[in-house]
Amino acid sequence: MEGLFADVAAGTHVVDATMFWSATGGGVRRYLLAKHAWITRNTGWRHTIAAPVADLPGIAPLPAVRLPGCGGYRLPLRRRALASSLEALNPHVIEAGDPYRLAWAVLDTADTLGIPAVAFCHSNLELLAAQFAGPLARAAAAAARRYARRLYRHFDLVFAPSEAMKRRLLDWGVEQVACQPLGVDTQAFHPARASRTWRQRLGLPDDARVLVYAGRFAPEKHLDVLAEAVRRLGPPYVMLAIGAGPAPPAGDRVIVRPFIAEPMQLARALAGADAFVHAGDQETFGLSVLEAMACGTPVIARAAEGLAELVDNSVGVAVHNGRSDSFAQAISCLFCQDRTELSRRARERAESYDWNQMLPLQLMHYRHLLRGGARKERGMSPPRRSPAGLPQ
């Protein structure tokens, strides 16, 4: 594997900087940990994760302030201090994993060191802004598009985890975009992880139909829709929600459990469930859905954004609107089908996203940038705030 990158010097240092990092999980955390392990195991390159929460050995800490009620996340604010911390790591290529203040510090670092700057677009700013702006949704979405264009045009390359997100970026006016899907460890996430003991520990009857959700408890995940769908269905359906965040689901037929950091333990829950459910309509990819599919677990998911590229009726049920009655109908429909065949196809699709296939593609992009160098002039203005109130 190392031979693929022989024209780039051994010891090449890749730094990933993101504020999307906390002890209570998230897809960005799982992506970066998988990336770190793969680069260390398969190449002669170095990889460092720089984040505001240094909860694991080797994490480079970044200055930030605490965000109450957000599951342990911290907010980096001091652009110059952030850039100084990143410059001290002396990277050869640097990737920004969020679109806020830290992303501008990544660009400052790239300018100072003369290295390529990459961004990974994990968040759809347009949809997020519209969701939280209420009656001003249209104006907020337009402001978010302008901000995203202003930020991302300075990067040498912007990764989009799905074709849907790539189209969004191009529509915003960002030109240097590459679709780079996330991946899954198909050895850790495997149907063999299923355990009857795991189900018994939930204290449920043998005939229970267990629907699992794993991820952030955030408003855009629409966990209330799933809880209402399970309430409508009644026995023997039960929803198990694994994660943390400000908007956990609630209901008589809902069980909430803390975030599971260890992949094998999470895989045991995903493989032991009867189906995985996800009502999010803003997902740029859907990593937890892919992990469930790798465990051979059929998926009921909203047919929107990145999820629409992972889930169709061959691996579960795609739901084309956000109503709880539609999800209830989809769940009921799934249990009328041959779930053995759905499980086989779900596993097969997940295998095509194994990290051993996805990460070499990403490093090929790095190699191309390293061979060609970074832009000489990014044309950035001094630090200030955008009209939308988003930090530049």
Side-chain angles (χ1 to χ4, degrees), residues 42-281:
N42 293 290
T43 78
W45 294 15
R46 295 169 54 214
H47 181 251
T48 299
I49 299 168
V53 181
D55 61 325
L56 292 176
I59 303 293
L62 296 175
V65 298
R66 185 172 174 270
L67 281 173
C70 291
Y73 288 91
R74 297 175 67 87
L75 180 64
L77 286 175
R78 295 187 295 145
R79 178 171 167 177
R80 289 186 177 87
L82 291 164
S84 295
S85 296
L86 294 172
E87 290 163 17
L89 297 174
N90 196 28
H92 298 104
V93 59
I94 188 166
E95 179 177 306
D98 70 73
Y100 304 114
R101 192 75 165 180
L102 183 55
W104 293 97
V106 164
L107 290 169
D108 293 340
T109 300
D111 275 350
T112 299
L113 299 180
I115 61 172
V118 179
F120 207 127
C121 189
H122 294 288
S123 297
N124 189 325
L125 289 179
E126 181 179 11
L127 293 182
L128 278 172
Q131 177 185 350
F132 291 106
L136 299 177
R138 181 173 295 183
R145 285 195 300 271
R146 291 194 298 271
Y147 172 79
R149 179 171 60 249
R150 202 156 44 238
L151 170 65
Y152 285 130
R153 70 183 177 86
H154 296 299
F155 283 89
D156 297 296
L157 183 63
V158 180
F159 288 132
S162 61
E163 290 293 342
M165 194 64 240
K166 179 179 177 180
R167 289 192 296 271
R168 290 268 186 184
L169 285 159
L170 292 172
D171 184 57
W172 295 345
V174 182
E175 298 178 353
Q176 62 288 1
V177 184
C179 183
Q180 175 59 59
L182 299 177
V184 62
D185 181 346
T186 57
Q187 297 304 307
F189 293 92
H190 193 281
R193 305 294 171 220
S195 166
R196 181 174 295 274
T197 303
W198 173 84
R199 291 178 67 98
Q200 291 172 345
R201 287 176 181 170
L202 291 175
L204 298 172
D206 292 340
D207 66 343
R209 293 178 173 179
V210 181
L211 312 171
V212 67
Y213 165 87
R216 288 241 326 128
F217 298 160
E220 66 270 16
K221 309 297 184 181
H222 302 298
L223 297 176
D224 57 331
V225 171
L226 298 176
E228 173 60 18
V230 172
R231 188 198 67 78
R232 286 172 174 266
L233 289 167
Y237 294 94
V238 175
M239 175 182 169
L240 171 66
I242 302 170
D252 293 340
R253 310 203 61 76
V254 176
I255 301 170
V256 177
R257 292 289 184 268
F259 164 72
I260 300 175
E262 210 284 317
M264 294 291 192
Q265 293 182 22
L266 178 58
R268 191 172 298 117
L270 298 179
D274 296 300
F276 188 92
V277 286
H278 201 313
D281 57 3

Side-chain angles (χ1 to χ4, degrees), residues 19-43:
M19 69 160 282
F20 295 151
W21 184 279
S22 86
T24 56
V28 175
R29 179 188 177 103
R30 299 206 298 286
Y31 152 61
L32 292 179
L33 288 175
K35 181 178 181 179
H36 181 80
W38 193 91
I39 289 176
T40 302
R41 184 172 61 247
N42 293 290
T43 78

Side-chain angles (χ1 to χ4, degrees), residues 329-348:
Q329 182 178 0
I331 293 166
S332 179
C333 178
L334 182 136
F335 282 89
C336 295
Q337 300 181 53
D338 179 0
R339 287 190 297 118
T340 301
E341 181 64 12
L342 292 175
S343 175
R344 184 188 68 78
R345 291 186 177 181
R347 171 66 185 182
E348 187 177 78

